[in-house]
Amino acid sequence: MVVKLTDWLDERVGWRSIWDNVFKRKIPYVNWLYTLGSATLLAVINQGVTGILLTIYYVPTPDHAYDSVQYITTQVPAGWMIRGLHHWGASAMVVLSFLHMLRVIFLGSYKYPREVTWFTGVFLFLTTIGFGFTGYLLPWDQKAYWATTVGTQIVAVTPLVGNWLLRVVLGGAELSPLTLTRFYGTHVWILPAALLLLLGIHLYLVISIGISEMPKQRE
Amino acid sequence: MPDEKVLERKGFLGLVTWAIGGLISLGLGIPAISYLIGPSLQKPEGQDWIRLGSSKKVEFGKPTLFKTTIQRQTGWIVNDEEVSAYIYTEGGREFIAFSNICSHLSCRVRWIDDQDQFFCPCHNAVFDRNGLVVSGPPPRPLDRYQVKIEDDQIYIQGV
């Protein structure tokens, strides 16, 4: 019955060849360090699922941000767990993608013909940093407020346009409700859109080019 | 052993991968569902006794309006909510508490003493002193609350 159904679908959609190309492709003999990319992907999926769940209760206004986060953590069933997974998953995503990047550098996987994979990876890492920076403000507690106050000052050292850039980032002269909403919008719309696009290209290239072999020692 | 199926290494690892994936999905999926539906299933409010005031203020044979403010919490937001009820007693022993909200379309009814009736201005509904419909569109009598007297204080429940 199930086989019949999957056959029916395969005839029309051709999912089986996609499945085989993604999960049954041949790979060279490599070590466990080559799983760091997949581990990062798992962290990304975790962030996506738990992040969507958090938006069910979180409200990005100064009146409600802190209280709604407290409500999620203490009142909603399993809310502490969803928030915890998102909190720790964020760190995991940064650490894992950084280690993945180191692996690629040390084993030379960024070289021809994988330069585009590498560049999308670099921008994925920057996107991840952006996620971390914007997400840090959202709980709207003292730590979030002052970390963002300090962190945003970094853009002010840009030559010539620094102060103008700082105003753009903050949505005004200082950290305000406008900062909170624009960080929220960036965190849940702009960055996920960028991530999805870059990740799509990244994974497509990983599969279509295939992963690199381990560098060989000279005999 | 020609009939015995040999589970080779590749198939076994595939199975383990599916099993781990399934466990992770369940481990996240079940909390996610309780997270989503949890607040919807919380027991309704209105279980607390609300103090209205002294029972000495109630005139015999005449419904008397009491008002008080209570705090209601929805999610993380606490709101002040005004609660009002008519208290009626024949002889000071048995007390009845009526909602002053018309059972038709939730306008406020008021007691009109010289006509001996509750009147709702929205659609000219009339209730008698027991809250029963005399005339007009209401589908049922005025709602009643649980009422108790403790140390001359009136408490109602079920708002």
Side-chain angles (χ1 to χ4, degrees), chain A residues 169-195:
Chain A
V169 169
L170 290 176
E174 56 192 13
L175 210 163
S176 70
L178 293 178
T179 319
L180 181 58
T181 50
R182 64 176 46 222
F183 270 45
Y184 179 73
T186 308
H187 191 81
V188 305
W189 291 116
I190 299 175
L191 291 176
L195 181 101

Short mmCIF file of all heavy atoms in Angstrom, two decimals, chain A residues 169-195:
data_model
loop_
_atom_site.label_atom_id
_atom_site.label_comp_id
_atom_site.label_asym_id
_atom_site.label_seq_id
_atom_site.Cartn_x
_atom_site.Cartn_y
_atom_site.Cartn_z
N VAL A 169 21.24 51.91 12.46
CA VAL A 169 21.14 50.65 13.21
C VAL A 169 20.16 50.81 14.38
O VAL A 169 19.31 49.95 14.62
CB VAL A 169 22.52 50.21 13.71
CG1 VAL A 169 22.40 49.06 14.70
CG2 VAL A 169 23.39 49.79 12.53
N LEU A 170 20.26 51.90 15.11
CA LEU A 170 19.43 52.09 16.30
C LEU A 170 18.02 52.56 15.96
O LEU A 170 17.12 52.46 16.79
CB LEU A 170 20.07 53.12 17.24
CG LEU A 170 21.36 52.69 17.93
CD1 LEU A 170 21.93 53.85 18.74
CD2 LEU A 170 21.11 51.49 18.83
N GLY A 171 17.83 53.08 14.76
CA GLY A 171 16.53 53.65 14.42
C GLY A 171 16.33 54.99 15.11
O GLY A 171 15.21 55.35 15.46
N GLY A 172 17.43 55.74 15.32
CA GLY A 172 17.33 57.03 15.99
C GLY A 172 18.63 57.34 16.70
O GLY A 172 19.64 56.66 16.49
N ALA A 173 18.57 58.35 17.57
CA ALA A 173 19.79 58.79 18.21
C ALA A 173 20.23 57.83 19.31
O ALA A 173 21.42 57.75 19.65
CB ALA A 173 19.59 60.18 18.81
N GLU A 174 19.29 57.12 19.90
CA GLU A 174 19.68 56.21 20.98
C GLU A 174 18.82 54.95 20.97
O GLU A 174 17.85 54.85 20.21
CB GLU A 174 19.54 56.92 22.32
CG GLU A 174 18.15 57.47 22.54
CD GLU A 174 18.10 58.42 23.72
OE1 GLU A 174 19.18 58.84 24.20
OE2 GLU A 174 16.98 58.72 24.17
N LEU A 175 19.22 54.01 21.80
CA LEU A 175 18.50 52.74 21.88
C LEU A 175 17.08 53.00 22.39
O LEU A 175 16.89 53.58 23.45
CB LEU A 175 19.25 51.81 22.84
CG LEU A 175 19.16 50.31 22.57
CD1 LEU A 175 20.26 49.59 23.31
CD2 LEU A 175 17.83 49.76 22.94
N SER A 176 16.10 52.56 21.62
CA SER A 176 14.72 52.93 21.92
C SER A 176 13.80 51.78 21.51
O SER A 176 14.27 50.75 21.02
CB SER A 176 14.36 54.18 21.12
OG SER A 176 14.28 53.85 19.75
N PRO A 177 12.48 51.97 21.67
CA PRO A 177 11.54 50.96 21.17
C PRO A 177 11.75 50.67 19.68
O PRO A 177 11.55 49.53 19.24
CB PRO A 177 10.17 51.60 21.40
CG PRO A 177 10.38 52.50 22.56
CD PRO A 177 11.79 53.01 22.45
N LEU A 178 12.16 51.70 18.93
CA LEU A 178 12.39 51.48 17.50
C LEU A 178 13.54 50.51 17.27
O LEU A 178 13.55 49.75 16.31
CB LEU A 178 12.69 52.81 16.81
CG LEU A 178 11.54 53.80 16.77
CD1 LEU A 178 11.97 55.09 16.10
CD2 LEU A 178 10.36 53.20 16.03
N THR A 179 14.55 50.55 18.16
CA THR A 179 15.66 49.59 18.04
C THR A 179 15.14 48.18 18.24
O THR A 179 15.49 47.26 17.50
CB THR A 179 16.74 49.90 19.10
OG1 THR A 179 16.92 51.30 19.20
CG2 THR A 179 18.04 49.23 18.73
N LEU A 180 14.30 48.01 19.26
CA LEU A 180 13.78 46.68 19.57
C LEU A 180 13.00 46.11 18.39
O LEU A 180 13.23 44.96 17.98
CB LEU A 180 12.89 46.75 20.82
CG LEU A 180 12.28 45.43 21.28
CD1 LEU A 180 13.35 44.39 21.57
CD2 LEU A 180 11.42 45.65 22.52
N THR A 181 12.11 46.92 17.81
CA THR A 181 11.29 46.38 16.71
C THR A 181 12.12 46.11 15.47
O THR A 181 11.90 45.13 14.77
CB THR A 181 10.12 47.32 16.37
OG1 THR A 181 10.63 48.63 16.20
CG2 THR A 181 9.07 47.32 17.45
N ARG A 182 13.11 46.99 15.19
CA ARG A 182 13.89 46.71 13.98
C ARG A 182 14.83 45.53 14.17
O ARG A 182 15.10 44.78 13.24
CB ARG A 182 14.64 47.95 13.50
CG ARG A 182 15.70 48.46 14.47
CD ARG A 182 16.47 49.64 13.87
NE ARG A 182 15.55 50.59 13.29
CZ ARG A 182 15.76 51.21 12.11
NH1 ARG A 182 16.86 51.01 11.46
NH2 ARG A 182 14.88 52.04 11.64
N PHE A 183 15.31 45.34 15.40
CA PHE A 183 16.12 44.14 15.65
C PHE A 183 15.25 42.89 15.53
O PHE A 183 15.69 41.88 15.01
CB PHE A 183 16.76 44.22 17.06
CG PHE A 183 18.10 44.90 17.07
CD1 PHE A 183 18.32 46.07 16.37
CD2 PHE A 183 19.17 44.34 17.77
CE1 PHE A 183 19.56 46.69 16.37
CE2 PHE A 183 20.41 44.94 17.78
CZ PHE A 183 20.61 46.12 17.08
N TYR A 184 14.03 43.00 16.02
CA TYR A 184 13.11 41.86 15.91
C TYR A 184 12.81 41.54 14.44
O TYR A 184 12.92 40.39 14.01
CB TYR A 184 11.82 42.17 16.66
CG TYR A 184 10.80 41.05 16.59
CD1 TYR A 184 10.97 39.88 17.32
CD2 TYR A 184 9.66 41.18 15.81
CE1 TYR A 184 10.04 38.87 17.27
CE2 TYR A 184 8.72 40.16 15.74
CZ TYR A 184 8.92 39.01 16.48
OH TYR A 184 7.99 38.01 16.42
N GLY A 185 12.45 42.55 13.68
CA GLY A 185 12.15 42.34 12.27
C GLY A 185 13.34 41.76 11.52
O GLY A 185 13.20 40.87 10.68
N THR A 186 14.53 42.28 11.85
CA THR A 186 15.74 41.74 11.23
C THR A 186 15.95 40.29 11.62
O THR A 186 16.28 39.45 10.79
CB THR A 186 16.96 42.57 11.67
OG1 THR A 186 16.69 43.95 11.42
CG2 THR A 186 18.20 42.17 10.91
N HIS A 187 15.71 40.01 12.90
CA HIS A 187 15.97 38.67 13.42
C HIS A 187 15.02 37.62 12.85
O HIS A 187 15.42 36.49 12.62
CB HIS A 187 15.85 38.69 14.95
CG HIS A 187 16.35 37.45 15.63
ND1 HIS A 187 17.68 37.23 15.89
CD2 HIS A 187 15.70 36.36 16.10
CE1 HIS A 187 17.83 36.07 16.50
NE2 HIS A 187 16.64 35.50 16.64
N VAL A 188 13.75 37.98 12.65
CA VAL A 188 12.78 36.97 12.24
C VAL A 188 12.42 37.02 10.75
O VAL A 188 11.81 36.07 10.25
CB VAL A 188 11.48 37.02 13.07
CG1 VAL A 188 11.79 36.90 14.55
CG2 VAL A 188 10.69 38.27 12.79
N TRP A 189 12.78 38.11 10.03
CA TRP A 189 12.44 38.17 8.61
C TRP A 189 13.65 38.31 7.71
O TRP A 189 13.87 37.52 6.81
CB TRP A 189 11.45 39.31 8.33
CG TRP A 189 10.11 39.07 8.90
CD1 TRP A 189 9.49 39.79 9.88
CD2 TRP A 189 9.19 38.02 8.55
NE1 TRP A 189 8.26 39.24 10.16
CE2 TRP A 189 8.05 38.17 9.36
CE3 TRP A 189 9.25 36.97 7.63
CZ2 TRP A 189 6.97 37.30 9.28
CZ3 TRP A 189 8.17 36.10 7.56
CH2 TRP A 189 7.05 36.28 8.37
N ILE A 190 14.43 39.38 7.93
CA ILE A 190 15.52 39.66 6.98
C ILE A 190 16.59 38.58 7.03
O ILE A 190 16.94 37.99 6.01
CB ILE A 190 16.12 41.05 7.27
CG1 ILE A 190 15.04 42.12 7.11
CG2 ILE A 190 17.31 41.32 6.37
CD1 ILE A 190 15.49 43.51 7.51
N LEU A 191 17.09 38.29 8.24
CA LEU A 191 18.16 37.30 8.35
C LEU A 191 17.72 35.89 7.96
O LEU A 191 18.45 35.19 7.26
CB LEU A 191 18.76 37.33 9.77
CG LEU A 191 19.54 38.61 10.08
CD1 LEU A 191 20.01 38.63 11.53
CD2 LEU A 191 20.72 38.76 9.14
N PRO A 192 16.51 35.43 8.39
CA PRO A 192 16.10 34.10 7.92
C PRO A 192 15.98 34.03 6.41
O PRO A 192 16.33 33.00 5.81
CB PRO A 192 14.73 33.91 8.58
CG PRO A 192 14.80 34.73 9.82
CD PRO A 192 15.61 35.94 9.44
N ALA A 193 15.51 35.10 5.77
CA ALA A 193 15.41 35.10 4.30
C ALA A 193 16.81 34.97 3.70
O ALA A 193 17.04 34.15 2.79
CB ALA A 193 14.74 36.36 3.81
N ALA A 194 17.76 35.75 4.24
CA ALA A 194 19.13 35.67 3.75
C ALA A 194 19.72 34.28 3.98
O ALA A 194 20.37 33.70 3.10
CB ALA A 194 19.99 36.73 4.45
N LEU A 195 19.45 33.76 5.18
CA LEU A 195 19.98 32.44 5.53
C LEU A 195 19.46 31.37 4.58
O LEU A 195 20.21 30.53 4.08
CB LEU A 195 19.60 32.08 6.96
CG LEU A 195 20.11 30.72 7.44
CD1 LEU A 195 21.34 30.91 8.32
CD2 LEU A 195 19.08 29.94 8.18
#
